[in-house]
């Protein structure tokens, strides 16, 4: 598959019209400033996001996702030039990953962007739904139980929302795998398509299997915690860290390797908590900025804009570091799981 195949496939996706109309206020809002993306279509996606009704936190999250994707795409281009992606496996994975990002933030032209406009940090415990009767039943049991303090209940709610997002992203992957294959048939020759199938089939099934395993483990954990409460000796609190640690314990790691992973996960959890702190500060700053925008105090407005911009950049920076670290840890642990199955 030539480099033009990826560009053409992505161009077909980007050509999709945005879902629904926009209010005059949204239409007049300036898009976010250029993010220095080196890949033009990613810059185009970033500007398109500025015309959607996304919170400051979601825009920062999207920025992190696009930056990581850009780094992977630039790395792929170097490999492709050296002939190191002969079966197009990395190219196809990049294409699927971008589909997931677009769907996640409502950039694929569809009206239903479940994760695009919601934010569990400010959503409260009753302002969102879990979209799964089993989860709703467990949550209702937990919140009426005497086993949880207010803080523990908030912590459990984050775990429920994290599980919902995992299921949603799994469903997105299922959908985008088939969409990618449909688009590929229009941009590559039958011979190239046949060559791709053999190499990609196992990889796609592996990716889906890993995600389903994580979902099943997560549900069992939610079921156990909802009935029994939190274990006082629990090592981690962040849902993503809990997932990674549970997966690591199932992998083919030595005791020394597990201890090393445990320490790294502790550092990662501290990084995630710091990122949460900046997200909350950014939301507070955004609300203050909206409040003073209607005033005539230009000095106050200037100070709030300056503070907001600084927090926005810091949140983007921390978000990138968190997602890159999460990606690295997930890859290492997944390799251990795969080796364990051999």
């Amino acid at each position: 598959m030539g480099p033009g195949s990826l560009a053409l496939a992505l161009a077909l996706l980007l050509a999709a019209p945005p879902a629904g109309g926009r209010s005059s206020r949204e239409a007049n809002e300036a898009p976010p400033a250029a993010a220095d993306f080196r890949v033009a279509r990613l810059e185009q996606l970033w500007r398109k996001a500025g015309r959607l009704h996304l919170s400051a936190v979601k825009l920062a999250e999207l920025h992190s996702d696009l930056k990581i994707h850009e780094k992977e795409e630039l790395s792929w281009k170097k490999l492709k030039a050296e002939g190191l992606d002969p079966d197009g496996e990395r190219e196809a994975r990049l294409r699927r990953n971008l589909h997931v990002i677009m769907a996640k933030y409502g950039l694929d032209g569809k009206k239903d962007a479940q994760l695009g406009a919601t934010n569990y940090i400010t959503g409260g415990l009753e302002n969102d739904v879990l979209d799964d009767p089993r989860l709703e039943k467990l949550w209702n049991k937990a919140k009426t139980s005497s086993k949880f303090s207010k803080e523990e209940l908030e912590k459990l709610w984050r775990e429920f929302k994290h599980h919902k997002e995992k299921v949603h992203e799994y469903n997105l992957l299922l959908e985008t795998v088939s969409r990618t294959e449909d688009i590929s048939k229009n941009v590559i020759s039958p011979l190239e398509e046949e060559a791709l199938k053999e190499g990609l089939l196992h990889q796609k099934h592996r990716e889906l299997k890993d995600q389903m395993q994580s979902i099943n483990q997560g549900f069992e954990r939610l079921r156990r915690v909802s009935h029994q409460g939190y274990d006082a000796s629990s090592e981690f609190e962040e849902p993503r860290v809990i997932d990674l640690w549970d997966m690591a314990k199932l992998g083919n790691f030595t005791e020394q390797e597990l201890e090393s992973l445990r320490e790294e996960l502790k550092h990662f959890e501290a990084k995630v908590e710091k990122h949460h702190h900046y997200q909350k500060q950014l939301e507070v700053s955004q609300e203050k900025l909206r409040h003073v925008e209607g005033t005539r105090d230009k000095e106050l407005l200037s100070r709030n804009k300056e503070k907001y911009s600084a927090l926005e950049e810091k949140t983007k920076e921390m978000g990138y570091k968190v997602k890159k670290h999460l990606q690295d840890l997930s890859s290492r642990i997944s390799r251990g799981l795969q080796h364990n199955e051999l």
Side-chain angles (χ1 to χ4, degrees):
M1 183 189 301
S5 300
L6 178 61
L8 182 52
L10 296 177
L12 289 172
L13 285 170
L14 294 178
R22 289 186 286 133
S23 67
S24 59
R25 178 179 178 276
E26 288 172 323
N28 291 326
E29 284 179 347
D36 295 327
F37 288 106
R38 295 166 61 187
V39 178
R41 60 183 161 272
L42 298 184
E43 180 70 29
Q44 184 181 355
L45 278 176
W46 174 245
R47 290 186 174 277
K48 181 177 179 180
R51 300 190 293 270
L52 301 178
H53 193 58
L54 297 180
S55 69
V57 168
K58 275 300 172 188
L59 280 173
E61 290 293 302
L62 171 62
H63 183 272
S64 300
D65 283 340
L66 290 178
K67 278 295 184 182
I68 288 175
H69 182 86
E70 180 177 58
K71 184 176 181 180
E72 293 175 343
E73 186 167 330
L74 293 174
S75 174
W76 166 78
K77 286 181 177 179
K78 291 181 180 179
L79 292 174
K80 185 69 176 179
E82 298 169 3
L84 297 179
D85 189 25
D87 58 3
E89 180 177 338
R90 287 177 66 104
E91 181 179 7
R93 186 167 69 248
L94 276 172
R95 190 163 58 238
R96 289 201 309 277
N97 289 346
L98 187 57
H99 293 181
V100 170
I101 292 172
M102 291 171 67
K104 180 178 179 181
Y105 295 96
L107 298 172
D108 59 349
K110 293 188 176 182
K111 292 184 180 180
D112 183 22
Q114 294 184 34
L115 304 183
T118 60
N119 175 24
Y120 73 83
I121 296 173
T122 59
L125 298 189
E126 302 297 338
N127 293 345
D128 204 350
V129 293
L130 295 169
D131 296 331
D132 184 335
R134 297 182 306 165
L135 295 181
E136 296 284 0
K137 184 177 180 180
L138 289 178
W139 170 244
N140 288 330
K141 179 178 181 60
K143 71 181 182 180
T144 57
S145 169
S146 60
K147 294 184 174 68
F148 300 96
S149 65
K150 180 181 178 181
E151 292 74 19
E152 288 176 331
L153 208 55
E154 290 176 354
K155 172 183 169 183
L156 182 60
W157 177 248
R158 288 200 302 270
E159 290 201 48
F160 272 98
K161 287 301 300 296
H162 173 63
H163 186 83
K164 173 188 171 181
E165 292 176 2
K166 281 198 301 183
V167 172
H168 181 53
E169 292 193 4
Y170 174 82
N171 291 332
L172 283 177
L173 182 58
L174 277 175
E175 178 186 350
T176 53
V177 163
S178 60
R179 287 180 63 195
T180 301
E181 290 173 344
D182 289 341
I183 292 175
S184 297
K185 292 174 183 178
N186 295 322
V187 297
I188 65 177
S189 70
L191 287 177
E192 288 176 313
E193 182 187 348
E194 191 62 34
L196 280 174
K197 284 181 180 177
E198 187 68 26
L200 293 179
L201 191 59
H202 175 73
Q203 193 273 336
K204 285 186 285 189
H205 287 173
R206 174 74 261 173
E207 195 172 350
L208 289 168
K209 183 179 178 181
D210 286 346
Q211 288 202 20
M212 181 51 71
Q213 182 179 21
S214 177
I215 287 170
N216 289 337
Q217 288 175 344
F219 180 80
E220 283 305 309
R221 172 182 166 76
L222 288 174
R223 186 187 60 78
R224 184 175 67 253
V225 173
S226 297
H227 284 81
Q228 301 175 6
Y230 279 107
D231 182 356
S233 63
S234 178
E235 294 187 78
F236 303 109
E237 296 187 2
E238 164 60 32
R240 287 172 290 184
V241 179
I242 293 170
D243 278 350
L244 289 171
W245 180 237
D246 286 344
M247 289 172 62
K249 288 185 290 187
L250 294 175
N252 190 31
F253 297 105
T254 65
E255 287 298 321
Q256 185 176 0
E257 288 171 334
L258 270 180
E259 182 59 33
S260 177
L261 278 171
R262 178 190 281 111
E263 290 303 312
E264 187 168 355
L265 286 171
K266 287 180 181 178
H267 290 303
F268 175 63
E269 186 168 61
K271 189 181 294 184
V272 171
E273 289 172 358
K274 189 175 181 181
H275 183 218
H276 285 333
H277 170 75
Y278 279 114
Q279 286 179 315
K280 291 176 184 177
Q281 292 300 309
L282 178 62
E283 288 183 331
V284 171
S285 179
Q286 185 180 34
E287 287 303 312
K288 286 183 178 179
L289 183 58
R290 286 173 178 167
H291 180 71
V292 301
E293 277 178 339
T295 69
R296 296 182 180 180
D297 191 335
K298 293 184 178 179
E299 184 179 346
L300 179 63
L301 181 59
S302 177
R303 286 201 305 269
N304 276 273
K305 282 184 175 179
E306 185 177 341
K307 182 177 181 181
Y308 175 81
S309 296
L311 281 169
E312 185 180 38
E313 287 306 309
K314 194 66 181 177
T315 304
K316 288 177 183 176
E317 178 188 347
M318 282 300 303
Y320 177 84
K321 289 179 179 178
V322 165
K323 291 195 174 187
K324 189 67 179 70
H325 198 172
L326 175 63
Q327 186 183 59
D328 294 341
L329 283 166
S330 298
S331 295
R332 284 171 54 191
I333 292 172
S334 292
R335 287 195 297 270
L337 286 172
Q338 292 172 31
H339 184 73
N340 195 39
E341 292 179 357
L342 297 179

